[in-house]
Amino acid sequence: MSRLVQISILPHKQEDQNYILDLAFEKARLRRSDIKDWRIRKRSIDARRAPVKLNLQIEFWLKDEARVEIPPFVPKEVSEAREIAIIGAGPAGLYAALRAIEAGLKPIVFERGKDVRARRRDLALINKEQIVNPESNYCFGEGGAGTYSDGKLYTRSKKRGNVLKALEWFVHFGADPDILVDAHPHIGTNKLPKIITTMREAIIEAGGEVHFNSKLTDIQVKAKRVVGITINDSEHLKFDEIILATGHSARDIFYLLHKKDIKIEAKPFAIGVRVEHQQELIDSIQYHGDSDNPYLPPASYALVEQIDGMGVYSFCMCPGGIIAPCATEQHEVVTNGWSPSKRNNPYANSGIVVSVAPEDLPNYTPNDPFVCLDFQKQVEQACWEAAGKTQHVPAQRMIDFVEKRVSSSFPKTSYQPGITAVDLNQVLPPLLVDRLRKAFVRFGRKMKGYYTNEAVLHAPESRTSSPISIPRNPNTLEHVEVQGLYPCGEGAGYAGGIISAAIDGINCVDAIVTKAI
Ligand SMILES: Cc1cc2nc3c(=O)[nH]c(=O)nc-3n(C[C@H](O)[C@H](O)[C@H](O)COP(=O)(O)OP(=O)(O)OC[C@H]3O[C@@H](n4cnc5c(N)ncnc54)[C@H](O)[C@@H]3O)c2cc1C
């Protein structure tokens, strides 16, 4: 058994190992000669008051204690093993495939998009030519929405063991081991593609298969059991188990399930705008004026307010980040955010979104599974029209928005396709704008300086989570009506980010294995 001790230091002392150890030894009442080994187990920033401090948890092993390292990923050779189909190569699908390999099952992954490298060209087309490839974009392709995401690996999942396993696999496949230590781990968009590629290579090396440009277009069900799938409308394949991990943007999958009478349900989600400030301003607010401290990372923030009966909150804040065009169709616009591992862009962006339930919506009728998705689509299309029917997004300075004035100029934006000045109050539904206006004023009271006309709103932030869930049995994880169908990850409503999607992929394979026993 190792022992743990907590210490708190000033940020500039973080590279002084002797200082850290002396402090930790004193606190643990140990001498250096008692110790065989040590490491920093957790690291977090405490910016609640000045001066900002680093909290460290130090783990020691005494001379007579064994430090046991368990290999995080132990593959089996599965080329001749029982096959399972995994639809979608996002975090949920990839982790399901890796788990299948550990469990002795052969994963066959079908992904509608391209491999990470080929996908990059399609992202350039969106950014530079305003062209959206509906099969290959920021949401579709190898690694799913996770590949060109920000790679923040925090999750609200409370099962520490599962979270640690998901993080350890990231490290095993090439991520910086610091993600196991940091309270708010972050990989960065520049590092993710290589890690995703290494995961795919491991799947293939163990005998699994990964097929790109392979879109699921039909599912065959007989006597309430899955019996097969169709790929690209042409290839019919027999499978008894399908893990359906197609993400929140695969609207065609929701329409397919509904058409086939496979139950889906409307689900609460969140929608709003993406706000961009200068990172220096956010650093100054969060670090009590200490904005150019070289020992502190670019600061983030988390804000939440209850306004007129609905939650309004910050979502996926990206310090040092870039606003990305995340549409999956030509006739819509969608924003999200990413940042490189160094978070060294001069901008700080975050979604500011309103939590919306099916019953809140004007077109609500009970049992309509598409009420939230239709609302999401309307907002995305209205923004596309308002900004000129390209990948430009409608934009407004923050105070101009609150005071309902079209902005006459803008500071430089990180959103590459471009922005168009509009009054967002005329473009977004009143349900959203009335609450967003109040929220920005209140956020400004919580974070002095946040409410500023130097901040620019980009609309819409609309793909925060799935507007539909695919109901499953909580014990078997199979669809409530169709055996052998495992709705998985964010698109099915069981995850809200990279780590929770990855964990859900693992859980679905474990459910298949348990069923077979
Ligand atoms: C720009 C951006 C930044 C983000 N930043 C973060 C972050 O910092 N931290 C975080 O936790 N989350 C972040 N997210 C969200 C995160 O990426 C998702 O929560 C996560 O990827 C969901 O995983 P998933 O596997 O369930 O679905 P997805 O990642 O959406 O993967 C689904 C896959 O299924 C494929 N697919 C869809 N339909 C079909 C079909 N019919 N046949 C075959 N394949 C199909 C898609 O092409 C896709 O590859 C970000 C997302 C974006 C877009």
Side-chain angles (χ1 to χ4, degrees):
M1 273 277 284
S2 59
R3 58 181 76 187
L4 299 170
V5 61
Q6 304 277 355
I7 59 168
S8 190
I9 62 168
L10 288 169
H12 72 273
K13 288 286 191 187
Q14 61 189 295
E15 275 150 29
D16 187 344
Q17 283 206 358
N18 283 330
Y19 174 80
I20 291 173
L21 276 181
D22 285 347
L23 213 61
F25 285 137
E26 194 186 319
K27 188 111 188 247
R29 295 167 195 262
L30 290 169
R31 286 166 303 173
R32 274 189 188 227
S33 54
D34 297 332
I35 301 299
K36 182 163 76 186
D37 207 354
W38 72 283
R39 67 173 173 184
I40 297 176
R41 167 107 178 250
K42 281 192 194 147
R43 179 170 43 221
S44 60
I45 293 173
D46 184 355
R48 283 172 297 177
R49 59 189 69 86
V52 177
K53 293 213 171 135
L54 276 189
N55 289 336
L56 302 178
Q57 187 183 59
I58 313 285
E59 185 169 24
F60 293 118
W61 285 266
L62 297 183
K63 282 259 156 67
D64 53 350
E65 288 168 348
R67 179 172 173 174
V68 185
E69 301 283 357
I70 301 163
F73 178 66
V74 186
K76 291 197 172 102
E77 159 56 46
V78 295
S79 48
E80 301 300 324
R82 182 157 73 91
E83 296 177 347
I84 59 167
I86 297 173
I87 316 298
L94 284 176
Y95 267 60
L98 293 167
R99 182 62 177 165
I101 283 166
E102 277 197 331
L105 297 170
K106 176 174 178 176
I108 307 197
V109 182
F110 298 96
E111 166 55 54
R112 74 193 295 162
K114 304 177 185 174
D115 67 76
V116 279
R117 193 193 281 213
R119 200 177 159 189
R120 205 183 280 274
R121 284 192 281 277
D122 294 309
L123 303 191
L125 275 182
I126 307 176
N127 278 301
K128 296 191 178 128
E129 314 281 338
Q130 318 266 340
I131 296 168
V132 181
N133 178 342
E135 308 302 336
S136 176
N137 44 58
Y138 275 90
C139 295
F140 294 162
E142 185 177 22
T147 309
Y148 297 99
S149 76
D150 194 34
K152 287 182 290 294
L153 301 181
Y154 352 136
T155 168
R156 271 174 277 170
S157 172
K158 290 283 170 282
K159 293 193 178 151
R160 182 72 200 139
N162 292 347
V163 174
L164 197 60
K165 185 175 180 72
L167 292 173
E168 280 176 345
W169 281 10
F170 264 114
V171 173
H172 180 80
F173 292 105
D176 190 321
D178 271 359
I179 64 169
L180 302 174
V181 172
D182 287 328
H184 292 110
H186 171 246
I187 292 187
T189 317
N190 51 323
K191 303 249 166 113
L192 281 159
K194 176 84 181 68
I195 297 168
I196 303 290
T197 306
T198 313
M199 288 180 178
R200 181 227 308 156
E201 286 165 354
I203 293 166
I204 293 170
E205 196 184 318
E209 295 177 18
V210 181
H211 301 276
F212 297 113
N213 303 306
S214 299
K215 176 156 87 171
L216 177 86
T217 47
D218 201 4
I219 300 176
Q220 284 81 44
V221 178
K222 269 200 192 138
K224 298 203 174 281
R225 269 211 64 89
V226 156
V227 290
I229 57 173
T230 304
I231 298 296
N232 295 334
D233 290 315
S234 56
E235 209 180 338
H236 306 290
L237 302 163
K238 288 193 174 147
F239 281 102
D240 295 330
E241 279 106 8
I242 304 172
I243 294 183
L244 188 65
T246 44
H248 61 27
S249 290
R251 290 174 176 161
D252 46 0
I253 289 294
F254 298 134
Y255 294 129
L256 171 72
L257 296 179
H258 188 61
K259 193 177 87 187
K260 298 201 72 91
D261 234 355
I262 299 175
K263 190 171 182 173
I264 57 173
E265 289 167 348
K267 141 183 178 308
F269 78 121
I271 183 163
V273 295
R274 191 153 275 261
V275 178
E276 187 164 80
H277 289 82
Q278 288 296 307
Q279 182 62 45
E280 212 182 333
L281 173 73
I282 301 299
D283 290 347
S284 173
I285 301 172
Q286 298 298 76
Y287 293 151
H288 316 283
D290 196 6
S291 60
D292 50 7
N293 186 331
Y295 298 97
L296 288 173
S300 66
Y301 62 84
L303 291 162
V304 59
E305 280 286 342
Q306 204 57 29
I307 295 182
D308 301 338
M310 288 180 178
V312 183
Y313 60 94
S314 57
F315 170 81
C316 186
M317 197 266 147
C318 300
I322 299 285
I323 301 183
C326 294
T328 47
E329 299 276 347
Q330 191 66 50
H331 296 166
E332 64 191 22
V333 284
V334 176
T335 64
N336 205 315
W338 63 267
S339 68
S341 53
K342 290 194 174 141
R343 289 181 155 162
N344 54 359
N345 289 292
Y347 313 101
N349 71 65
S350 177
I352 298 291
V353 292
V354 182
S355 203
V356 174
E359 315 76 70
D360 299 327
L361 296 173
N363 294 343
Y364 173 70
T365 47
N367 304 324
D368 173 9
F370 294 108
V371 63
C372 291
L373 188 140
D374 287 344
F375 182 74
Q376 182 192 46
K377 264 169 83 172
Q378 277 161 21
V379 169
E380 292 171 359
Q381 286 171 7
C383 288
W384 172 76
E385 276 179 28
K389 302 188 176 178
T390 62
Q391 283 304 299
H392 277 226
V393 289
Q396 196 166 15
R397 288 179 184 256
M398 190 182 277
I399 296 178
D400 289 345
F401 167 66
V402 171
E403 296 179 358
K404 302 187 179 178
R405 207 175 33 229
V406 176
S407 304
S408 55
S409 67
F410 287 115
K412 198 167 183 296
T413 169
S414 71
Y415 182 78
Q416 240 189 308
I419 58 178
T420 303
V422 302
D423 181 6
L424 287 173
N425 294 283
Q426 305 292 324
V427 178
L428 299 173
L431 176 85
L432 303 180
V433 286
D434 294 348
R435 289 175 175 83
L436 287 171
R437 277 201 314 276
K438 291 182 187 168
F440 287 124
V441 176
R442 290 208 210 160
F443 290 161
R445 287 187 205 128
K446 282 186 171 168
M447 271 178 75
K448 294 270 177 301
Y450 184 87
Y451 182 58
T452 164
N453 224 18
E454 291 310 302
V456 178
L457 281 45
H458 300 60
E461 169 85 31
S462 50
R463 306 275 174 100
T464 51
S465 65
S466 185
I468 286 186
S469 71
I470 311 177
R472 68 186 187 190
N473 178 314
N475 300 317
T476 66
L477 306 193
E478 286 169 297
H479 187 274
V480 286
E481 291 165 351
V482 183
Q483 282 186 44
L485 178 62
Y486 293 82
C488 179
E490 187 164 34
Y494 302 101
I498 295 169
I499 291 295
S500 53
I503 291 172
D504 202 48
I506 292 177
N507 289 345
C508 284
V509 172
D510 287 349
I512 292 174
V513 173
T514 308
K515 195 179 174 192
I517 295 171

